[in-house]
Amino acid sequence: MSPSASKIDRRLGSARGISSGMTAIDWSTDGQFVQVDTKEHMKEVFHVSSGGLIEDPTSTSSITWTSWTSVLGPEVLGMWPVGSSKFKVDINTVHVPHCGGALVAGDDLGSVNLFKSFPLKDCPASSIKYFGHSAVITCVRFTSDDEYLLSTGGEDSCIFVWKTVDDNFP
Protein backbone atom coordinates (compact mmCIF):
# COMPACT_ATOMS: atom_id res chain seq x y z
CA MET A 1 0.00 0.00 0.00
CA SER A 2 1.23 3.48 -0.66
CA PRO A 3 1.76 5.72 2.36
CA SER A 4 -1.25 7.78 1.28
CA ALA A 5 -3.61 4.81 0.91
CA SER A 6 -6.53 5.12 3.27
CA LYS A 7 -8.59 2.07 2.32
CA ILE A 8 -8.55 -1.19 0.42
CA ASP A 9 -10.76 -0.94 -2.65
CA ARG A 10 -11.76 -4.58 -3.22
CA ARG A 11 -10.45 -8.10 -3.42
CA LEU A 12 -9.23 -8.83 -6.93
CA GLY A 13 -9.07 -12.59 -6.63
CA SER A 14 -7.94 -15.55 -4.58
CA ALA A 15 -5.66 -18.53 -5.02
CA ARG A 16 -7.55 -21.79 -5.29
CA GLY A 17 -6.43 -25.24 -4.25
CA ILE A 18 -4.18 -24.53 -1.28
CA SER A 19 -4.73 -27.53 0.95
CA SER A 20 -3.23 -26.20 4.19
CA GLY A 21 -2.07 -23.04 5.91
CA MET A 22 0.69 -20.98 4.34
CA THR A 23 4.08 -20.40 5.93
CA ALA A 24 5.75 -18.18 3.30
CA ILE A 25 4.67 -15.99 0.39
CA ASP A 26 6.66 -14.08 -2.23
CA TRP A 27 5.60 -11.88 -5.15
CA SER A 28 7.23 -11.97 -8.58
CA THR A 29 8.92 -8.74 -9.66
CA ASP A 30 6.31 -8.21 -12.39
CA GLY A 31 3.41 -8.80 -9.97
CA GLN A 32 2.04 -11.65 -12.11
CA PHE A 33 2.79 -14.55 -9.72
CA VAL A 34 2.99 -15.49 -6.04
CA GLN A 35 4.83 -18.47 -4.61
CA VAL A 36 3.70 -19.96 -1.32
CA ASP A 37 4.96 -22.64 1.05
CA THR A 38 2.31 -24.63 2.87
CA LYS A 39 2.27 -26.39 6.21
CA GLU A 40 2.19 -29.65 4.24
CA HIS A 41 5.65 -28.75 2.88
CA MET A 42 4.44 -28.00 -0.63
CA LYS A 43 5.72 -25.11 -2.73
CA GLU A 44 3.04 -23.78 -5.06
CA VAL A 45 3.06 -20.96 -7.61
CA PHE A 46 -0.14 -19.14 -8.58
CA HIS A 47 -0.99 -16.73 -11.37
CA VAL A 48 -2.31 -13.61 -9.66
CA SER A 49 -4.96 -12.55 -12.18
CA SER A 50 -6.64 -15.96 -12.46
CA GLY A 51 -5.77 -17.42 -9.05
CA GLY A 52 -4.86 -20.61 -10.83
CA LEU A 53 -2.10 -22.97 -9.78
CA ILE A 54 0.84 -23.20 -12.18
CA GLU A 55 1.12 -26.97 -12.65
CA ASP A 56 4.36 -27.15 -14.68
CA PRO A 57 7.39 -26.39 -12.46
CA THR A 58 9.61 -25.77 -15.52
CA SER A 59 7.44 -22.80 -16.46
CA THR A 60 8.21 -21.10 -13.12
CA SER A 61 12.00 -21.47 -13.18
CA SER A 62 12.51 -18.18 -15.05
CA ILE A 63 10.36 -16.09 -12.69
CA THR A 64 12.26 -13.43 -10.74
CA TRP A 65 11.01 -12.86 -7.18
CA THR A 66 11.00 -9.55 -5.27
CA SER A 67 11.82 -11.44 -2.09
CA TRP A 68 12.66 -14.99 -1.11
CA THR A 69 11.16 -16.53 2.02
CA SER A 70 10.52 -20.06 0.72
CA VAL A 71 12.26 -22.94 2.50
CA LEU A 72 11.34 -25.30 -0.35
CA GLY A 73 12.59 -25.88 -3.87
CA PRO A 74 15.83 -26.49 -5.75
CA GLU A 75 17.02 -22.94 -5.01
CA VAL A 76 17.46 -23.81 -1.31
CA LEU A 77 18.22 -27.53 -1.49
CA GLY A 78 21.80 -26.99 -0.27
CA MET A 79 20.73 -25.50 3.08
CA TRP A 80 19.10 -28.71 4.28
CA PRO A 81 21.30 -30.94 6.44
CA VAL A 82 22.28 -34.24 4.85
CA GLY A 83 19.70 -36.88 5.71
CA SER A 84 17.00 -34.41 6.72
CA SER A 85 13.47 -34.80 5.47
CA LYS A 86 11.01 -32.12 4.39
CA PHE A 87 8.62 -33.68 6.88
CA LYS A 88 11.07 -33.32 9.77
CA VAL A 89 11.53 -29.60 9.45
CA ASP A 90 14.87 -28.35 10.72
CA ILE A 91 14.77 -24.97 8.98
CA ASN A 92 11.74 -22.79 9.67
CA THR A 93 12.46 -19.49 7.99
CA VAL A 94 14.73 -17.96 5.36
CA HIS A 95 15.34 -14.59 3.77
CA VAL A 96 17.50 -13.41 0.91
CA PRO A 97 18.84 -9.86 1.32
CA HIS A 98 17.63 -7.26 -1.15
CA CYS A 99 21.12 -7.09 -2.65
CA GLY A 100 20.91 -10.86 -3.35
CA GLY A 101 23.84 -13.25 -3.32
CA ALA A 102 23.26 -14.73 0.16
CA LEU A 103 20.60 -16.41 2.27
CA VAL A 104 19.96 -16.51 6.01
CA ALA A 105 18.06 -19.38 7.62
CA GLY A 106 16.65 -19.82 11.11
CA ASP A 107 16.40 -23.35 12.47
CA ASP A 108 14.87 -25.44 15.25
CA LEU A 109 18.07 -25.31 17.30
CA GLY A 110 18.05 -21.52 17.65
CA SER A 111 20.88 -20.80 15.22
CA VAL A 112 20.97 -18.20 12.47
CA ASN A 113 22.78 -19.66 9.46
CA LEU A 114 24.40 -17.37 6.88
CA PHE A 115 24.95 -18.89 3.46
CA LYS A 116 27.20 -16.67 1.34
CA SER A 117 25.50 -17.58 -1.91
CA PHE A 118 22.03 -17.89 -3.38
CA PRO A 119 20.71 -20.02 -4.94
CA LEU A 120 22.23 -22.85 -2.90
CA LYS A 121 23.18 -25.41 -5.51
CA ASP A 122 25.86 -27.31 -3.54
CA CYS A 123 24.50 -29.93 -1.19
CA PRO A 124 25.25 -29.44 1.59
CA ALA A 125 26.16 -25.76 1.26
CA SER A 126 28.54 -24.35 3.86
CA SER A 127 27.27 -21.72 6.26
CA ILE A 128 28.37 -19.61 9.19
CA LYS A 129 26.30 -20.26 12.32
CA TYR A 130 25.39 -17.54 14.81
CA PHE A 131 23.85 -18.36 18.17
CA GLY A 132 21.73 -16.43 20.65
CA HIS A 133 18.20 -17.80 20.70
CA SER A 134 17.52 -20.56 23.20
CA ALA A 135 15.29 -22.57 20.87
CA VAL A 136 13.42 -22.45 17.56
CA ILE A 137 13.71 -19.36 15.35
CA THR A 138 10.36 -18.41 13.84
CA CYS A 139 11.35 -15.63 11.43
CA VAL A 140 14.42 -13.95 9.91
CA ARG A 141 14.20 -10.75 7.84
CA PHE A 142 16.66 -8.19 6.52
CA THR A 143 15.90 -4.49 6.79
CA SER A 144 15.24 -2.70 3.51
CA ASP A 145 18.86 -1.50 3.30
CA ASP A 146 20.27 -4.94 4.27
CA GLU A 147 22.24 -3.30 7.08
CA TYR A 148 20.52 -5.35 9.79
CA LEU A 149 18.94 -8.76 10.16
CA LEU A 150 16.14 -9.38 12.64
CA SER A 151 15.45 -12.82 14.06
CA THR A 152 12.53 -13.81 16.24
CA GLY A 153 12.52 -16.67 18.69
CA GLY A 154 9.55 -18.84 19.44
CA GLU A 155 9.94 -20.12 22.97
CA ASP A 156 12.37 -17.43 24.13
CA SER A 157 10.07 -14.61 22.92
CA CYS A 158 13.09 -12.56 21.84
CA ILE A 159 13.77 -10.34 18.87
CA PHE A 160 17.47 -10.11 18.02
CA VAL A 161 18.94 -7.42 15.79
CA TRP A 162 22.13 -8.45 13.97
CA LYS A 163 24.42 -5.96 12.20
CA THR A 164 25.73 -7.13 8.84
CA VAL A 165 29.44 -6.52 8.26
CA ASP A 166 31.50 -6.73 5.07
CA ASP A 167 33.65 -9.74 5.98
CA ASN A 168 30.57 -11.97 6.57
CA PHE A 169 28.27 -10.56 3.92
CA PRO A 170 28.39 -10.54 0.13
Side-chain angles (χ1 to χ4, degrees):
M1 293 175 73
S2 69
S4 62
S6 60
K7 67 177 185 172
I8 296 173
D9 183 37
R10 59 189 160 88
R11 184 180 75 188
L12 297 177
S14 61
R16 294 180 296 281
I18 300 173
S19 57
S20 68
M22 292 174 281
T23 58
I25 185 168
D26 298 296
W27 282 90
S28 64
T29 55
D30 63 5
Q32 298 290 317
F33 303 95
V34 292
Q35 70 175 359
V36 299
D37 287 359
T38 71
K39 288 183 178 181
E40 291 180 345
H41 307 288
M42 300 289 294
K43 179 179 175 178
E44 299 175 333
V45 178
F46 294 88
H47 197 276
V48 172
S49 63
S50 70
L53 177 66
I54 308 299
E55 301 282 348
D56 179 13
T58 59
S59 65
T60 64
S61 62
S62 62
I63 298 173
T64 304
W65 302 99
T66 58
S67 62
W68 191 278
T69 60
S70 176
V71 300
L72 303 170
E75 300 86 352
V76 294
L77 188 61
M79 75 176 179
W80 291 94
V82 174
S84 71
S85 165
K86 283 192 278 187
F87 301 105
K88 180 184 174 247
V89 177
D90 301 310
I91 298 171
N92 305 302
T93 178
V94 300
H95 199 222
V96 172
H98 302 88
C99 65
L103 179 134
V104 170
D107 65 25
D108 282 346
L109 303 175
S111 62
V112 172
N113 304 282
L114 171 62
F115 297 88
K116 289 187 167 188
S117 64
F118 181 79
L120 301 173
K121 296 180 181 179
D122 296 330
C123 192
S126 62
S127 68
I128 302 169
K129 290 188 180 291
Y130 298 90
F131 298 97
H133 290 281
S134 64
V136 63
I137 294 178
T138 57
C139 190
V140 292
R141 292 293 181 271
F142 285 97
T143 56
S144 61
D145 60 3
D146 294 330
E147 190 170 345
Y148 298 95
L149 172 79
L150 286 82
S151 61
T152 60
E155 295 169 24
D156 63 13
S157 301
C158 291
I159 300 173
F160 288 3
V161 180
W162 308 82
K163 172 105 170 100
T164 59
V165 291
D166 292 339
D167 62 341
N168 286 333
F169 204 66

